[in-house]
Amino acid sequence: MATDVKVPALGESITEGTLAQWLKKPGEAVAADEPIASLETDKVSVEVPSPVAGTMAEQLFQEGDTVEVGAVIARIGEAGAAAAAAAPAETKEAVDAATNPPGPAETPLPREDAHAPAADHADLTLSPAVRRAVLEHHVDPSKISGTGKDGRLTKDDVLAAAKAKDSGPVHEPEVKAPAAAPAATAQPALAAAAAPSGERREERVKMTRLRQTIATRLKEAQNTAALLTTYNDVDMTAVIDARARYKDLFEKKHGIRLGFMGFFVKAVALAARDVPSVNARIEGDEIVYHDYLDVSVAVSAPKGLVVPVIRSADAMSFAEIEKTIAGFGKKAKDGTLTADDMKGGTFTISNGGVFGSLLSSPIINPPQSAVLGMHRIEERPVVRDGQIVARPMMYLALSYDHRLIDGREAVTFLVRVKEAIEDPTRLLIDL
């Protein structure tokens, strides 16, 4: 008897997702709890495990379909049993081929997107399992020929490439047209090699659900909030000296490196006590204030920017903050962040400096009312005690909803952050 595989709960307020990739084909053996499909939601990628051991019997949806929570997407048969049915698309193609065989004189026309091999697009749809294998074995997915549907990579493809890499260089198989094939029926893929070098091309790639959500939320913020940004700069000398002095002891005791983000999270917590509106939100015709600080930290993931939340950051130590951030960074790279990791948040910190940004105006993350933008540290000439000296400076940007936060409050908040960073002792004695 076949066992249904249903779409699991995807998190609070998430009712549907997109079937990004099938990880198992009909007829393949499946172990209990082994992922058989990858779903993409508004926030994260989720793997769907098999509830039992057996054989993939039937796939009820195609890749790219939208599936609701609780929907049956596949059936698992008894171990060793043959697949009950092929994927819907494959079945339809087989029926069409049987009822309408092509004429012997027909020559298929190349598709517009046939200039690029399928392997070029595989990295756009890597499942979490495949992504983890790529990162673990340090292989380039663009150089691996995928054996999955539409040329997509599977975990076995990555493992085989890693094994070949250890034993010697990996050589892509040479593609040649059949000797008897006339020039008019050459494979479309070969047209790319023969195309003029100056030819201009376009490629259309459907936006992922995550990218669509990011676009919608950012535009919503611009349409709804009265956005304004105020800037300041901060001398990072004291923080850099503190890190240099204590980084070895800190790592030895806590098992994690001491970074800059811990200082800024603590500084924001201190400043938010003086300016609580920065940590508030508008709800209808009311202002909701929080007596806690849940900091959303912008983290770069393979499919876009995500913002996991450090909960009750105002009550955490430097070590707890750094451990939490490091954990989020690893999960983002592995594609294992959950919806709960990104739920909520009362204030956001975005560090564009890690990518080299000198100055930017960040956009708030609704329903939050403010976001602090950090940037790269750069030595610049400044005046100290009447002397021009070089100091490691960083520009700070606070974007905020002017409907809730006045300019005076925004400037005061940013000055409090600046004072705490330039004199970290303030973080210890609560000044």
Side-chain angles (χ1 to χ4, degrees), residues 132-193:
R132 285 197 296 270
V134 167
L135 293 171
E136 180 180 350
H137 295 284
H138 305 289
V139 296
D140 185 352
S142 65
K143 297 182 179 179
I144 305 175
S145 298
T147 60
K149 186 176 180 181
D150 296 330
R152 290 188 173 128
L153 294 184
T154 66
K155 186 176 180 181
D156 291 338
D157 295 333
V158 177
L159 295 178
K163 185 176 180 181
K165 175 185 173 184
D166 294 338
S167 60
V170 179
H171 298 283
E172 291 293 332
E174 183 178 359
V175 180
K176 296 182 178 179
T185 59
Q187 297 181 11
L190 297 180

Side-chain angles (χ1 to χ4, degrees), residues 324-358:
T324 303
I325 294 172
F328 285 150
K330 184 177 186 304
K331 292 174 73 173
K333 291 180 180 179
D334 294 345
T336 57
L337 281 170
T338 66
D340 287 339
D341 289 332
M342 293 179 284
K343 182 173 62 178
T346 62
F347 185 90
T348 295
I349 299 178
S350 178
N351 185 7
V354 297
F355 304 108
S357 172
L358 177 64

Side-chain angles (χ1 to χ4, degrees), residues 102-316:
E106 291 183 1
T107 301
L109 295 176
R111 294 176 49 174
E112 292 182 2
D113 60 349
H115 296 292
D120 289 344
H121 305 288
D123 60 333
L124 299 176
T125 54
L126 293 182
S127 70
V130 174
R131 190 180 303 113
R132 285 197 296 270
V134 167
L135 293 171
E136 180 180 350
H137 295 284
H138 305 289
V139 296
D140 185 352
S142 65
K143 297 182 179 179
I144 305 175
S145 298
T147 60
K149 186 176 180 181
D150 296 330
R152 290 188 173 128
L153 294 184
T154 66
K155 186 176 180 181
D156 291 338
D157 295 333
V158 177
L159 295 178
K163 185 176 180 181
K165 175 185 173 184
D166 294 338
S167 60
V170 179
H171 298 283
E172 291 293 332
E174 183 178 359
V175 180
K176 296 182 178 179
T185 59
Q187 297 181 11
L190 297 180
S197 59
E199 182 180 349
R200 293 164 43 160
R201 298 173 182 167
E202 294 180 351
E203 178 184 4
R204 294 181 181 270
V205 179
K206 185 176 180 180
M207 292 175 67
T208 64
R209 181 178 287 265
L210 175 60
R211 176 52 58 186
Q212 293 179 47
T213 301
I214 291 173
T216 300
R217 289 178 65 83
L218 292 180
K219 190 57 182 173
E220 174 191 342
Q222 289 184 317
N223 292 340
T224 304
L227 289 177
L228 188 61
T229 304
T230 184
Y231 305 92
N232 212 322
D233 60 359
V234 58
D235 188 342
M236 297 293 292
T237 300
V239 168
I240 292 175
D241 289 346
R243 287 185 69 227
R245 187 182 309 168
Y246 298 114
K247 65 179 182 180
D248 293 337
L249 290 175
F250 187 88
E251 185 171 3
K252 182 178 180 180
K253 180 176 181 178
H254 301 290
I256 191 73
R257 294 180 61 187
L258 178 61
F260 292 120
M261 188 62 76
F263 288 93
F264 279 93
V265 171
K266 299 293 284 186
V268 165
L270 191 65
R273 294 179 188 175
D274 292 341
V275 189
S277 59
V278 174
N279 190 40
R281 72 177 190 272
I282 293 178
E283 195 170 286
D285 59 356
E286 297 179 331
I287 300 174
V288 180
Y289 292 95
H290 309 99
D291 66 351
Y292 54 87
L293 179 70
D294 287 351
V295 178
S296 301
V297 182
V299 175
S300 179
K303 292 189 177 182
L305 197 70
V306 293
V307 280
V309 179
I310 307 173
R311 307 196 186 282
S312 299
D314 53 322
M316 298 175 71

